[in-house]
Amino acid sequence: MHGSRISTGTRRGLAAAVAAGTLLTALTTATSASASTASAPVDGSKVVCTSKKPGLAPALSHDIADALHGRKGASALSVYDPHTGTRCDLKAGTHFDSASVVKVTVLGALLRQTQEAHRKLTPREVKLTTAMITKSDNKSTSALWRQIRPAGIKHFLSLADMRNTVPGTGKAWGLTQITAGDQLKLMQLLAKDNTVLTPASRGYALDLMHRVAPDQRWGVPAGAPATTDVHVKNGWLPRDTGGWRVNSVGTFTHSGHDYSMAVLSTGSRTMKYGVDTVESAARVIHRDLTH
């Protein structure tokens, strides 16, 4: 019977191994339960969503894919809801012409410069920034673009970790190359405390985005519940090649929690078609995040 006996040390080792295996299984289960990832194909790409809320990742990924399926041109988006630990991306690193959504970056760069100079905005700067954001005034944007200078824009982009954004050359601020991922970073910079913009700077920017002219409140606000606080900036630009560029970025507060999104599009035959593309995605995102 000598060969069938198990020593005390061996028994202890086996018990430890079983316990370790049980613990590993428990940890793996807990990790997978804390966040799930799902994806859905859309016209040769994938919408990828991760969420800590059960069932939300697959619902969002499929709903966004369905909303964008068959739309002509190209689109990209990034969404983040810290309340449910939800993140969705579609071609988040692909470059698009910014059009007027770059105006939020211009505002951020100016506010950062005033912070570093330990000064407030001048009356002229208040007038220019208000027109730039609430009315999307191009002359005001050009004046601030010249004032801030390329070094100031690039300095802000570096601090904001918007490393995939390439400022337009010369006066061509509307041809800044942006990504949905970087635009989401900018929206999050406005939505939560950080070391780049002070609460006063963030509050100023959000107030302007909240007061955008009524005829420019389309885009990512589409489908937001009526009680939602909306902060938005849109951009639209027709070009000789590639059709309309229609972009929309925003951050929202609903029932006590914030979430942000950026939806970019290019290749639309008309502006209205581009707006419809952006709003088709926005509606399902708001629905799924707020219900």
Side-chain angles (χ1 to χ4, degrees):
M1 300 293 294
H2 174 74
S4 65
R5 295 186 63 183
I6 301 176
S7 68
T8 301
T10 302
R11 284 196 299 269
R12 288 174 179 169
L14 287 172
V18 171
T22 303
L23 178 60
L24 179 61
T25 301
L27 289 174
T28 303
T29 303
T31 301
S32 61
S34 64
S36 63
T37 299
S39 65
V42 54
D43 302 333
S45 255
K46 282 186 178 181
V47 182
V48 180
C49 295
T50 300
S51 181
K52 293 181 180 179
K53 184 176 180 179
L56 184 54
L60 258 177
S61 61
H62 284 89
D63 289 346
I64 293 171
D66 286 346
L68 294 176
H69 178 69
R71 301 295 299 177
K72 297 185 184 302
S75 55
L77 61 80
S78 286
V79 180
Y80 181 58
D81 174 11
H83 181 71
T84 57
T86 301
R87 171 77 186 240
C88 290
D89 291 294
L90 168 66
K91 294 187 287 190
T94 300
H95 282 108
F96 288 72
D97 292 333
S98 67
S100 287
V101 295
V102 75
K103 293 171 181 177
V104 184
T105 298
V106 174
L107 176 60
L110 175 65
L111 292 171
R112 178 65 194 189
Q113 283 189 340
T114 65
Q115 290 175 197
E116 293 182 356
H118 304 288
R119 69 173 180 85
K120 295 181 179 180
L121 291 171
T122 66
R124 170 183 172 273
E125 289 168 340
V126 170
K127 181 179 179 180
L128 290 175
T129 53
T130 300
M132 176 176 69
I133 300 298
T134 65
K135 300 178 182 179
S136 204
D137 183 70
N138 291 336
K139 289 184 179 179
S140 298
T141 309
S142 294
L144 290 170
W145 185 261
R146 289 192 301 270
Q147 175 183 322
I148 298 166
R149 304 179 68 83
I153 298 292
K154 291 176 181 177
H155 177 57
F156 175 72
L157 291 174
S158 177
L159 292 174
D161 195 32
M162 296 168 64
R163 301 187 183 277
N164 292 317
T165 300
V166 183
T169 57
K171 301 177 181 179
W173 46 262
L175 297 183
T176 294
Q177 296 300 291
I178 62 172
T179 67
D182 272 6
Q183 288 299 297
L184 184 68
K185 287 181 180 179
L186 181 58
M187 293 301 102
Q188 285 299 108
L189 204 66
L190 299 180
K192 63 182 182 181
D193 290 336
N194 60 83
T195 59
V196 180
L197 295 176
T198 64
S201 291
R202 291 171 45 236
Y204 182 78
L206 288 172
D207 178 63
L208 292 181
M209 293 173 69
H210 185 63
R211 294 193 286 118
V212 164
D215 64 343
Q216 295 181 23
R217 294 177 70 84
W218 47 265
V220 292
T227 55
T228 303
D229 284 335
V230 172
H231 313 89
V232 64
K233 183 70 193 83
N234 296 321
W236 56 100
L237 175 69
R239 300 196 68 184
D240 292 337
T241 57
W244 280 83
R245 281 69 165 157
V246 180
N247 306 320
S248 186
V249 299
T251 184
F252 308 89
T253 303
H254 174 75
S255 297
H257 78 271
D258 301 322
Y259 59 96
S260 305
M261 73 177 88
V263 185
L264 314 179
S265 74
T266 189
S268 294
R269 186 173 58 84
T270 65
M271 178 179 171
K272 182 182 183 303
Y273 189 89
V275 172
D276 288 345
T277 296
V278 171
E279 293 188 343
S280 293
R283 285 192 183 92
V284 299
I285 292 168
H286 285 296
R287 183 191 67 202
D288 288 353
L289 289 181
T290 61
H291 289 84

